[in-house]
Amino acid sequence: MKGLQNATWRAGRRTVPAVLGAAALVLAGGTAYAYWGTSGTGSGSASAGQLQTLATQALVQAAPGQQPLSPGGTADAVVRVSNPNSYDVQLFSVVSAGAATADASHPQCVTTGVSFQNQNPLAQPVTIPANATQTVTIPSSVSMGLTSDAGCQGAHFNLPLTLEVRK
C-alpha cells in the first residue's frame, strides 16, 4: 500500500504542472482574443505650427584692430537676426544667396569683388530667443577680391544670405 501511495503522489506531481500550463494557455489565449477582438472609434487632430520668417541684416565689419575691408582683405560678417516666433530657434547655417551689392551712394562700385564664405554648418549652432533680436558674428567670413572697382572705396555692402534655422 505504501508503494501505491508514492505512485499516486508522483502522478499528482506531474499533473500539477500540466494543469498550470493549460491554464496559462487559456489565459494567454483569452488575452490575445481580447486584444485582437476589441474595436473602437474616435477622432483626433493635430496641426503643425508655421515658422515665421526671420528678419536678417548682414553687415561687414572689420575685426578689432583690423582695417576696413579692402581689396585682398577679409572682415567679419555681423548678422542681426530677429525671431518673431513665440519659441526659440537654432541657427544652423548661413550661406550666400547672391552677389554682394554696394550701397546707393556708390554707383561706381559695379564690380564689388565682395564674397561671403558659406558657414554650412556653423561651427556652433546659435540659439535665437523667442521674440528677440540677436547679433551673430562670423569671423573672417567676408573677403574682397583684387578686381574690385575703385569706386567701392568706403562703400557699405549688402550681403544677401540664406539662414537655416530649426525649432
Side-chain angles (χ1 to χ4, degrees), residues 9 14-15 22-23 34 37 46-47 51 53 56 84 86 102 107-108 113 132 137 152 166:
W9 180 76
R14 288 183 190 141
T15 306
S47 63
L51 176 67
T53 303
T56 62
S86 60
Q108 302 84 11
T137 300
C152 295
R166 300 178 187 169

Side-chain angles (χ1 to χ4, degrees), residues 70-96:
S70 61
T74 62
D76 297 345
V78 178
V79 182
R80 187 176 304 134
V81 183
S82 297
N83 178 10
N85 295 290
S86 60
Y87 46 84
D88 295 354
V89 295
Q90 282 197 316
L91 177 61
F92 276 89
S93 71
V94 180
V95 297
S96 176

Side-chain angles (χ1 to χ4, degrees), residues 37-128:
T38 59
S39 63
T41 60
S43 64
S45 66
S47 63
Q50 184 74 21
L51 176 67
Q52 294 182 47
T53 303
L54 278 64
T56 62
Q57 180 183 18
L59 310 168
V60 178
Q61 177 177 323
Q66 291 182 344
Q67 295 295 318
L69 186 61
S70 61
T74 62
D76 297 345
V78 178
V79 182
R80 187 176 304 134
V81 183
S82 297
N83 178 10
N85 295 290
S86 60
Y87 46 84
D88 295 354
V89 295
Q90 282 197 316
L91 177 61
F92 276 89
S93 71
V94 180
V95 297
S96 176
T101 56
D103 62 77
S105 65
H106 290 82
Q108 302 84 11
C109 183
V110 178
T111 303
T112 66
V114 174
S115 63
F116 178 79
Q117 182 181 358
N118 291 338
Q119 306 294 308
N120 189 13
L122 285 172
Q124 181 77 24
V126 177
T127 299
I128 311 296

